[in-house]
């Protein structure tokens, strides 16, 4: 014996009420978060403490060379098969540059903020990646580049 919902092609009333309740709860939770700030993550805007402009270049052997943009000094050479997080971030930024038809010539800006945060910025596309969001170990990979790049300043 078939029930009324399956014979008419309509969803059961309970399912519809549950879906409506879920939608209403989601909208309410988003509104409460916006009004009160509860459950909302925000990046504090502080002054930069340290910054360096860097260029990254793929080498034929699979390494990635990192250059200080102002004087062309080599900051680091990331050996093939290492620094997966750095490479992944750079691939994403390179893809975005291709979408904006920006070449690889403009440098990236690596910034340490007053509160200790670390970000990689692409001034040519307006993209900024807050590196702590990916864990301290991953942020440290970029912090080493900042320290080496700052040594020249």
């Amino acid at each position: 014996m078939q029930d009324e919902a399956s014979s008419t092609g309509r969803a059961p009333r309970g399912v519809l009420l549950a879906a409506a309740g879920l939608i209403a709860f989601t909208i309410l939770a988003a509104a409460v978060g916006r009004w009160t700030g509860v459950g909302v993550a925000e990046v504090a805007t502080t002054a930069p403490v340290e910054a360096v402009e860097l260029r990254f270049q793929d080498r034929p052997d699979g390494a990635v060379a990192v250059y200080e943009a102002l004087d062309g000094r080599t900051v680091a050479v990331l050996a093939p098969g290492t620094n997966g997080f750095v490479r992944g971030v750079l691939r994403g930024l390179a893809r975005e540059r291709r979408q904006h038809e920006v070449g690889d010539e403009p440098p990236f800006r690596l910034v340490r903020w007053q509160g200790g945060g670390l970000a990689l910025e692409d001034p040519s596309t307006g993209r900024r990646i807050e590196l702590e969001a990916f864990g301290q170990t991953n942020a440290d990979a970029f912090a080493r580049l900042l320290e080496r790049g700052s040594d020249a300043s």
Side-chain angles (χ1 to χ4, degrees):
M1 181 192 252
Q2 291 184 333
D3 63 11
E4 181 183 332
S6 61
S7 65
T8 63
R10 295 187 322 193
R13 181 181 170 106
V15 172
L16 293 175
L17 289 174
L22 182 60
I23 291 169
F25 173 77
T26 303
I27 291 170
L28 180 64
V32 168
R34 181 171 291 259
W35 292 327
T36 66
V38 173
V40 177
E42 290 186 25
V43 176
T45 306
T46 60
V49 173
E50 187 176 12
V52 65
E53 291 191 351
L54 300 172
R55 285 196 174 90
F56 299 85
Q57 182 180 42
D58 290 325
R59 291 192 169 173
D61 65 354
V64 174
V66 184
Y67 300 101
E68 209 279 323
L70 295 178
D71 62 9
R73 180 181 64 85
T74 302
V75 172
V77 176
L78 310 177
T82 65
N83 294 281
F85 176 68
V86 174
R87 290 169 185 269
V89 168
L90 294 175
R91 274 193 299 273
L93 291 172
R95 182 176 48 251
E96 192 162 343
R97 281 186 168 191
R98 283 191 301 275
Q99 291 173 344
H100 286 88
E101 298 180 0
V102 176
D104 59 356
E105 193 59 31
F108 294 98
R109 186 170 185 245
L110 187 55
V111 181
R112 182 179 314 279
W113 301 103
Q114 191 171 33
L118 192 64
L120 183 63
E121 301 175 336
D122 186 353
S124 61
T125 64
R127 174 80 171 186
R128 180 167 91 180
I129 299 174
E130 298 295 336
L131 299 166
E132 277 81 20
F134 300 97
Q136 193 59 49
T137 302
N138 289 325
D140 286 347
F142 278 96
R144 287 188 291 277
L145 297 176
L146 178 64
E147 291 161 8
R148 292 177 190 162
S150 298
D151 288 345
S153 302

